[in-house]
Amino acid sequence: MSGNKGVNIKSDGEKATEAPTPQNTPVFTAPIAAAAAAAAGAGVEEDALRTAAQNPALLNMLQGRLGSLIGASSGYVESLPKVVRERVDVLKYLQQQHTDIDQQLHLEIYELEKKYNKLYAPLYERRTAIVQGTEEPTDVEKEEGAKIAAAEEESGDKPSGVKVEDEDEEPAAGIPEFWLTALRNHPQLGELITERDEGAIKHLRDLRLSYLEDKPGFKLEFVFGENEFFTNSVLTKTYFYEQSEVTGELEFGSAQGTEISWKPENDLSVTVETKKQRHKTTNRTRVVKKTVPAETFFSFFSTVEEPDSEDDSEEADETRDRIELDYELAEEIKEKIIPNAVDWFTGKALEYEGLGEEDYEDEFMDDYYDDEDDDDEDDDEDDDDDEDDVLPRSAKDAAEPPQCKNQ
């Protein structure tokens, strides 16, 4: 991915602005004169904006020209005496040394994350054993857990919902559908999980995070039990960092997914459209089946190549949007789902995250999924009439407001 700038999702909202200088800072006008000028110019500005909005070509031209002014020199620095400009150059040298230290800082933070991830490992292993039912909680663990539940209930928090089992009821092993519930309770991830996906994700046994040793980056591992959908026991997504030469921060650079070995008839990445066609001349009918891409959570494991930096086509922009959203999902899984899985399972995470229905836009899935809805022409020109269309349900679930889905 040489030549492509890494995506830093933590600083998307920052905008480049030009610092004020004696040359580009306007002189303050008298209050009365300023008010009069504003009133006179308001109507002109509204007309100009209305005209530009109605003319896309003009709007694009204006945006292009305004964009070219960002970071443009006012000429002030160039007009300074040589001795002053030499001092400015020395400040640039000091700034470069500061950036070098920043680079060391962010690399050390990365090493700290690796260190503490290893310290968390025994807790994650214990969690996995309890969730899968291979081990039962000890009496001490139960006692401490009961204290936390009592404190939550006393503070007005929602109880964990432990029910008294019937004598004839066989107790469930572990915690059924733990990871499916946790993922579905996350607003963005929940939108990606379709009804068909749920059958496969029910077999998700563990979610793991590991850091790369040879270069900065991390790997997400989805560990599955044997299932009827694919033969892979582990699906991985690996993310590689690039260090910014300007800020020293580690930014997302590229990602590598997993090729899923789907079992026949259970490929969630496609759906089959079945049509009955009648020949215009012979009046005979035939059944035509066509495989088309389907929306699925498992698209997350695809490897999406970054478009060329000079490609400004609409398709390239959509691909960049999808890559950025993919990085956001990975960050959510890495920083929130894995460390706080039980809170996402119970729904408590929605409270301390401060998430509400208005926090996520409905367009999320449209940006994440590829647009595969283009109409295709029939290959057989002699087959004219379609008598019937049968489209199996494989579309995404309607977006639901964030809520606990394990009740």
Side-chain angles (χ1 to χ4, degrees):
M1 245 189 67
S2 58
N4 292 325
K5 183 179 179 181
V7 179
N8 187 350
I9 64 172
K10 297 182 181 178
S11 58
D12 287 342
E14 298 177 1
K15 303 295 182 184
T17 56
E18 184 181 23
T21 69
Q23 298 299 319
N24 65 16
T25 303
V27 178
F28 290 110
T29 57
I32 296 179
V44 176
E45 289 178 0
E46 290 180 1
D47 291 340
L49 289 173
R50 190 179 299 109
T51 301
Q54 295 173 352
N55 189 334
L58 176 60
L59 185 60
N60 289 334
M61 181 187 70
L62 290 174
Q63 290 175 336
R65 291 188 177 182
L66 289 173
S68 66
L69 295 177
I70 297 177
S73 174
S74 65
Y76 169 66
V77 175
E78 291 80 356
S79 67
L80 294 172
K82 180 180 178 182
V83 65
V84 178
R85 282 188 280 119
E86 287 177 345
R87 294 171 188 148
V88 173
D89 291 340
V90 171
L91 295 185
K92 293 180 180 178
Y93 169 63
L94 297 177
Q95 178 66 47
Q96 179 58 55
Q97 294 182 74
H98 190 286
T99 300
D100 293 341
I101 296 175
D102 277 342
Q103 291 179 338
Q104 296 176 25
L105 167 65
H106 290 289
L107 288 176
E108 289 185 17
I109 291 174
Y110 174 74
E111 291 300 325
L112 274 177
E113 288 185 1
K114 290 171 61 176
K115 172 185 175 180
Y116 279 88
N117 189 57
K118 292 178 180 178
L119 295 178
Y120 297 141
L123 301 178
Y124 294 155
E125 291 172 2
R126 182 63 179 150
R127 179 178 68 188
T128 299
I130 293 174
V131 168
Q132 293 187 12
T134 57
E135 297 179 10
E136 289 295 332
T138 65
D139 291 340
V140 173
E141 289 172 332
K142 290 179 180 179
E143 182 179 344
E144 294 300 322
K147 291 179 182 178
I148 295 174
E152 290 178 346
E153 189 170 357
E154 184 178 348
S155 65
D157 288 350
K158 190 174 182 180
S160 59
V162 178
K163 71 173 184 177
V164 178
E165 297 178 351
D166 297 332
E167 293 183 1
D168 297 335
E169 184 178 357
E170 184 177 349
I175 305 178
E177 301 182 11
F178 178 83
W179 288 107
L180 170 61
T181 305
L183 292 174
R184 290 196 71 236
N185 277 339
H186 186 282
Q188 286 177 305
L189 293 167
E191 283 188 33
L192 294 176
I193 299 174
T194 69
E195 187 175 331
R196 296 174 73 205
D197 291 334
E198 291 183 5
I201 301 177
K202 285 179 181 179
H203 296 279
L204 182 58
R205 296 291 178 259
D206 197 13
L207 246 177
R208 300 173 184 167
L209 165 69
S210 60
Y211 287 87
L212 307 184
E213 295 296 337
D214 54 340
K215 63 181 300 185
F218 64 91
K219 178 191 293 185
L220 298 175
E221 295 180 288
F222 289 66
V223 182
F224 284 86
E226 186 175 352
N227 61 82
E228 66 272 28
F229 297 92
F230 44 79
T231 60
N232 312 66
S233 59
V234 181
L235 300 179
T236 66
K237 193 71 176 285
T238 305
Y239 293 85
F240 302 95
Y241 288 132
E242 293 179 355
Q243 190 162 30
S244 169
E245 296 180 357
V246 178
T247 65
E249 293 183 358
L250 293 176
E251 303 173 339
F252 286 118
S254 61
Q256 181 68 42
T258 301
E259 183 176 351
I260 302 178
S261 300
W262 295 103
K263 294 182 179 179
E265 307 299 328
N266 283 319
D267 187 346
L268 299 176
S269 66
V270 298
T271 187
V272 178
E273 292 184 355
T274 303
K275 294 182 179 181
K276 283 185 178 181
Q277 293 183 334
R278 184 176 58 195
H279 198 282
K280 291 188 297 184
T281 305
T282 64
N283 207 32
R284 292 181 177 178
T285 61
R286 70 171 183 175
V287 176
V288 178
K289 294 184 177 182
K290 181 173 63 174
T291 301
V292 296
E295 295 175 348
T296 173
F297 168 80
F298 292 93
S299 296
F300 173 76
F301 298 99
S302 301
T303 300
V304 183
E305 297 295 336
E306 177 90 15
D308 187 271
S309 58
E310 297 181 358
D311 188 349
D312 58 356
S313 65
E314 182 178 351
E315 181 180 357
D317 288 340
E318 291 176 353
T319 300
R320 293 188 187 98
D321 289 342
R322 181 183 176 188
I323 290 174
E324 185 171 353
L325 287 170
D326 178 75
Y327 290 149
E328 290 179 357
L329 287 176
E331 193 73 11
E332 291 290 299
I333 294 171
K334 171 178 173 283
E335 298 292 336
K336 297 180 180 179
I337 298 294
I338 292 178
N340 308 307
V342 67
D343 286 343
W344 288 102
F345 174 78
T346 62
K348 182 180 180 180
L350 295 172
E351 300 175 13
Y352 62 69
E353 288 285 337
L355 298 177
E357 186 174 359
E358 68 279 359
D359 292 301
Y360 288 86
E361 298 179 359
D362 293 337
E363 291 84 358
F364 171 77
M365 294 185 64
D366 295 332
D367 290 337
Y368 187 77
Y369 288 122
D370 287 333
D371 186 4
E372 300 287 358
D373 296 331
D374 297 335
D375 293 331
D376 297 325
E377 295 182 355
D378 289 336
D379 295 331
D380 189 350
E381 295 181 357
D382 293 332
D383 294 327
D384 182 61
D385 299 329
D386 292 341
E387 289 186 346
D388 188 25
D389 267 349
V390 181
L391 301 178
R393 174 184 176 91
S394 63
K396 61 180 178 289
D397 295 335
E400 301 177 5
Q403 57 183 347
C404 180
K405 301 182 177 67
N406 66 328
Q407 301 177 15

